[in-house]
Amino acid sequence: MLSINVFPQNKIVDSLGLCLKNAKHDSTRLRLHLCLCIACDLSDNLKYGEPGIKIAENLVKNTSKGELKRQYLTQKAEIYNLIAVYYERTEKSGSKNHFTYLEKTLAAFKEAQDTAGITNTIISFANYYFRDGNIIRQLEELQKGLTLWENANYKKGKARFIKEIGFLYADQGDTIHAKEYLEKGLELEKEIGDKSRISRGYYLMGLLYARLKYYDKAIYYYLKSIERYGALKEINTLPEIYLSLGEAYQAKQSFSEALVIYNKGYSLANQTNDSRIKFLTTIAIGSVEADLGNYDKAIKQHQKNYDIALKIPDNYLALWLAGSSLAKDLFEINDFKKAKIYADKALLTINKSGAANEILNTEKMAYKIDSALNNYKEAHLHYLNYIKLRDQLNGEELKKAAIREKFQRELDNQTQKAHAEQRQKDLINKKENQNKNNIIITISLGLIIVLALAILIFRGLKQNQKINKELLYKNKLIENQKKLVEEQKQLVDDKQKEILDSINYASRIQKALLPNEKYLEKHIKKQ
């Protein structure tokens, strides 16, 4: 999908610049420098970015509060990223400056612990290698990001990298792996339970199938995404999905259905005030009218688009899209002179953007229009440009095919290597598991022996406690019996004493009453 900006930048930049002049605090200045980097022309990126970096560094240095410090680091990382984009577009993609600022961006996001920033920057590194034609390094970067979030158990990051790897395989024509990864990513989104991300996952599946030209499958996933976003009442994303859905119906030549879908999408884009989607959707509505043979409606719609595009500063793609669409419509009704005017303007406009495929298609259209007007010299010139660019693109396609073949070979080698490493790991793991099992068995046996000894000792202690208790009881019984015997003995002794005392007392009485022996003997003898 074309990236078209329909908002004038100058007023925004002027307003932000005025705010910057009146800003009193560095934290405010930092935010404004970041906003200016986003809003300004690419050529002014360093003008606002470099001072913003200095302010951010000063704020980070003098801030101790963790959350506030992370906020400044994140803003610093975002400015670094915008400077990286500047070097990517002004120098050769993959230049040293581009790479250096990507590294600075990643370092700042890591220091800020910004998971989304880390994820996006690793993907930027992957795109860096993609533009350089190094698909293997691109895959390695994406796998590095996937491993990072797998180790951190950050499921949202994992899902993002899984889907990126899926689209990489789709670009290389590997449908099986592409579907496998995107379905895995969707399942992970379901596991996370973020309904909005699940809805986005269905949309991405639709885009994949549309890219592979499986339009029925694409339509199925677009409709699932629309249903889920609708249930969540998140309508901001719906206009873009309706546009993609309409394109799928149009591609399978279901023009009436496409027109209905486009109109629904336009109505939603009106509600959400999404000017970009409104512009693209009305272009698409015009093209469907042309497909249905309603050229008057198509021309009227595309003329409106062209008038809007003229008011958008420096947006070559919008002007080209509207102009080339008008040229096609006019060509179909044999109004070749007007068609030539718009085709020439469209070609002049798109040449400024450097978009090769769009230039190719416009050169071909200009060649056909000039041929119809018998402008054979100009037609021949357009034809030569077309052939040259086509051969150049075919050469690039051959180069890409060679890269894809190399990618597949290296991927196969990596897979074989990975399988060999996995087998080695499995053997090591098996041995380690066996050792662990042996250790577990030994420890278990040791624990059983210790437990048995503990039981025996416990039983012995319990037995001793029982014996001691019995002995204590018997000792107490003996003690009680001894005490009883002693009490009985004392009682006997007391009784014996009482008897003896009684006898002695009686004896004394007897002696007192009876005459003594000498008296008795004296009187007995006299008798």
Side-chain angles (χ1 to χ4, degrees), residues 178-401:
K179 285 168 64 180
E180 178 189 335
Y181 272 90
L182 282 170
E183 284 170 359
K184 193 189 294 183
L186 183 57
E187 287 304 311
L188 188 54
E189 295 289 13
K190 289 178 183 177
E191 188 182 321
I192 292 165
D194 186 328
K195 292 180 180 179
S196 183
R197 289 173 65 94
I198 295 169
S199 305
R200 180 73 179 169
Y202 280 119
Y203 177 46
L204 293 176
M205 286 295 291
L207 289 176
L208 169 68
Y209 281 112
R211 188 180 295 187
L212 298 172
K213 298 184 180 179
Y214 298 155
Y215 296 114
D216 287 329
K217 275 277 192 182
I219 289 166
Y220 168 79
Y221 280 107
Y222 289 146
L223 289 172
K224 289 279 283 184
S225 181
I226 287 168
E227 180 187 348
R228 284 179 167 270
Y229 273 122
L232 294 171
K233 297 182 179 178
E234 293 183 10
I235 65 168
N236 287 335
T237 313
L238 287 176
E240 184 177 352
I241 304 172
Y242 270 104
L243 178 58
S244 299
L245 178 61
E247 287 170 348
Y249 275 116
Q250 190 174 356
K252 58 180 290 196
Q253 298 188 345
S254 299
F255 301 125
S256 298
E257 289 91 339
L259 202 55
V260 170
I261 294 298
Y262 283 140
N263 280 308
K264 279 186 183 178
Y266 181 79
S267 177
L268 284 166
N270 251 336
Q271 289 179 44
T272 58
N273 200 26
D274 190 334
S275 300
R276 183 181 70 89
I277 296 297
K278 279 170 64 178
F279 183 87
L280 291 171
T281 302
T282 49
I283 287 281
I285 288 170
S287 67
V288 173
E289 293 290 4
D291 289 332
L292 290 168
N294 301 325
Y295 293 110
D296 288 343
K297 287 183 178 179
I299 291 167
K300 187 178 179 181
Q301 181 58 64
H302 289 149
Q303 185 63 60
K304 284 182 182 178
N305 289 120
Y306 191 79
D307 293 340
I308 291 168
L310 285 171
K311 296 173 185 176
I312 305 170
D314 300 327
N315 205 322
Y316 304 122
L317 287 174
L319 198 57
W320 166 79
L321 188 57
S324 60
S325 297
L326 259 178
K328 286 177 191 173
D329 300 337
L330 293 163
F331 180 81
E332 291 297 331
I333 62 169
N334 298 326
D335 192 344
F336 303 127
K337 287 184 179 180
K338 277 190 179 178
K340 178 175 171 54
I341 292 168
Y342 286 106
D344 288 347
K345 287 181 178 179
L347 188 58
L348 184 65
T349 303
I350 200 63
N351 274 322
K352 292 177 183 178
S353 74
N357 281 306
E358 285 74 14
I359 294 170
L360 177 74
N361 293 330
T362 312
E363 287 283 8
K364 184 178 180 181
M365 181 174 61
Y367 151 71
K368 287 167 69 178
I369 292 169
D370 277 319
S371 295
L373 287 168
N374 298 323
N375 296 331
Y376 297 117
K377 186 176 179 181
E378 289 184 47
H380 182 65
L381 184 61
H382 288 306
Y383 180 74
L384 289 177
N385 289 337
Y386 167 74
I387 294 297
K388 182 180 178 182
L389 189 55
R390 186 195 65 184
D391 290 346
Q392 185 181 331
L393 290 173
N394 285 341
E396 287 178 8
E397 282 301 315
L398 289 171
K399 192 185 292 183
K400 285 180 183 177

Side-chain angles (χ1 to χ4, degrees), residues 468-486:
N468 288 336
K469 194 174 180 181
E470 287 176 359
L471 286 172
L472 188 65
Y473 174 74
K474 286 178 181 178
N475 286 338
K476 194 171 182 180
L477 189 61
I478 291 165
E479 224 176 273
N480 289 338
Q481 288 175 348
K482 183 181 176 185
K483 189 176 179 182
L484 184 62
V485 168
E486 285 176 351

